[in-house]
Amino acid sequence: MTTTAATPSFLRDLFAGDINESLLFPYPVTLDVRDPEEARTVHRLVDAVNGMVASGLIDPRRFDEQEGIDEEVIRAFAAEGLLALTIPTAYGGLGLSASAYARVFGAVASIDASLGVLIGVHCGLGSKALVIAGNASQKARYLPALARGETLAAYALTEPETGSDAQHIVTRAERHPDGTGWVLNGRKHWIGNGQRAGVVATFAQTPLERNGETVRRPTAFIVRPDMPGFRVDGTIRKLGIRGSTQAELVFEDLFVPDDHVLGEVGKGFRVAVNALNAGRLSLASGCTAACKKLLGEFTRYAEARTQFGGPLASFEITQRKMATMASETYAADAMVGALAAALDSTTVDASLEAACVKVFASELVWRSSDELVQLAGGRGFVKPWPYERYLRDARINRIFEGANEILRLFVGLNGIQGPAEELKELAGALKNPIQNWVLVSGYAADKVASAFGRRDRFQATLHASLRTHATYVERHVAELAKATQQAITTHRKEILQRQLVVERLADMAIELYARCATISRTQQLIEERGVDACAREIALTELFCLQSGRRFSAHRDELDGKTGEGIDDLRRRIAARVRDERGYASNDALMDVAVPPLPAWSLTRDAQQRAVEHLPD
């Protein structure tokens, strides 16, 4: 998938005040309708996984306790084709579309998050990188073995110093003196499947000549554990997803021949981004499928648990939580379906949408699992009940595939690029308005057209039950565009440092995309089934749109002139004091006593290991 400014993006257009509804309306038909044969494959795979659960082969509680997935399970996955999902049929894979892969992944991850990690890393990242960027020789050499499950694939991007920031990784690759390959030096951490993968897609900075100067740009490589200089530096114990294994990988003068460069030298960022877009879809699908199961468990417990003379489900507070979880899960499901269709297309740029859906779904599964723990009370906090495991497993999703804070900045900064360029071009034209009259008058005409509803209104016919919510979306799109232009003109280059402003713009865009996807899906269901058969979906849409609109308004209000800047300035001043005072320094409200600080902890692995060695048993 190409990711250029010329490629249409529904979300990016929202920042400019445009509702590019052709990218989202009509809502894509289900896989059963679009490709019945592929849908049958999905059903077969999901049935196979359910059979493994019924037989006891898949046991999430056992995986969690032993902190590992049984080899027998991995062999069974390979036999059923669950390790061949994204690999083209020409190489022995199933060649599933993004939609089909997301559905299978969601089913697996909702059963056990650790199994989801195994599948996601192997199919959605490691193998996918070869599918996206590999040449014919590389694909023929590695993909058939990966499809058969003879070995696993890994994806080694994340580093101790820079996290998953592909542009600024510190692992380096230098040309070997004999000119036949590259020498890699660096460290990767949190690498899923890393301790046992036979094929690893990784990234390093390589030198390039640009305008007479040497610059460094990321390049993707295929490495194997049998290459001299490759070392696994242990595995990691974790809060959740304990059945999956993450490893530390070290490259020490690791020689990689030229025929193992993945894609073009210096173009590794594109490989990383395209693989991560697919990974964000699968992660969001897994989170959404998990939310459906969590809501089912929440309902069962609330109906069975009796307190104060009735089931917990009869209490209004419990019902409020049920309704919110249901409506937001419906919205997440709509977003996943829309994103999958976009990623199956070759004509749109869905990178911003992928980030939005990942943020929305990962935060929803965390809230849902937290509400289930709260509902279960003491049982939610202890074993052998599974609720505490659900919560532990859910937490990583806000970090995986890019931390949500970073993804919000990614959405916001990319979203304002178009309006910023437009204003920059207009500012130059206004210096000589006579010569540049076409540009200036065109800009004015665009503003007039927008004001008369020619660009910021839905053209699709919507059912009366959805029209009011669509009208609020139209109004809020205009408010996002206004807030975007105001942020650009107010902060100019300083916008890069105004992360609180960018974050709010991103949150506003996420809410709009969620509402648009939800309205589009419900409209499609009404057309398919008739309005009487969609009473449930209409109610879910109404509740979600109402609550989403309120969140949008709260973000907008904090951007509003002195109010937003005032609270941000206050936050910065308090944070500066906290930094100066190394934490909380105000007097205790009861009585000041000497409380020892938490033990200091270094970010470096060596310092961590030394500290662990001196901990008491």
Side-chain angles (χ1 to χ4, degrees), residues 121 153-154 191-197 200 225 230 232 245-249:
V121 172
I191 307 306
N193 301 341
Q195 87 291 355
R196 57 159 295 155
V200 181
F230 181 99
V232 177
T245 307
Q246 280 69 42
E248 302 266 3
L249 305 183

Side-chain angles (χ1 to χ4, degrees), residues 574-595:
I574 291 174
R577 287 294 297 268
V578 170
R579 294 175 68 186
D580 290 342
E581 294 162 351
R582 306 295 189 199
Y584 188 82
S586 297
N587 293 340
D588 192 273
L590 294 175
M591 183 181 73
D592 279 325
V593 294
V595 178

Side-chain angles (χ1 to χ4, degrees), residues 206-280:
T206 52
L208 290 175
E209 292 296 324
R210 293 282 173 84
N211 300 321
E213 296 183 3
T214 300
V215 297
R216 287 192 173 269
R217 296 291 184 270
T219 295
F221 296 90
I222 303 169
V223 301
R224 301 191 313 270
D226 61 351
M227 291 177 171
F230 181 99
R231 177 162 58 88
V232 177
D233 195 19
T235 56
I236 302 160
R237 303 193 69 187
K238 309 180 297 296
L239 171 71
I241 56 166
R242 291 179 177 173
S244 69
T245 307
Q246 280 69 42
E248 302 266 3
L249 305 183
V250 179
F251 306 149
E252 294 175 332
D253 294 331
L254 171 63
F255 175 73
V256 182
D258 280 332
D259 62 2
H260 279 59
V261 172
L262 190 55
E264 298 179 51
V265 173
K267 298 295 181 63
F269 181 74
R270 184 180 302 170
V271 178
V273 167
N274 286 337
L276 285 173
N277 283 340
R280 286 165 187 160

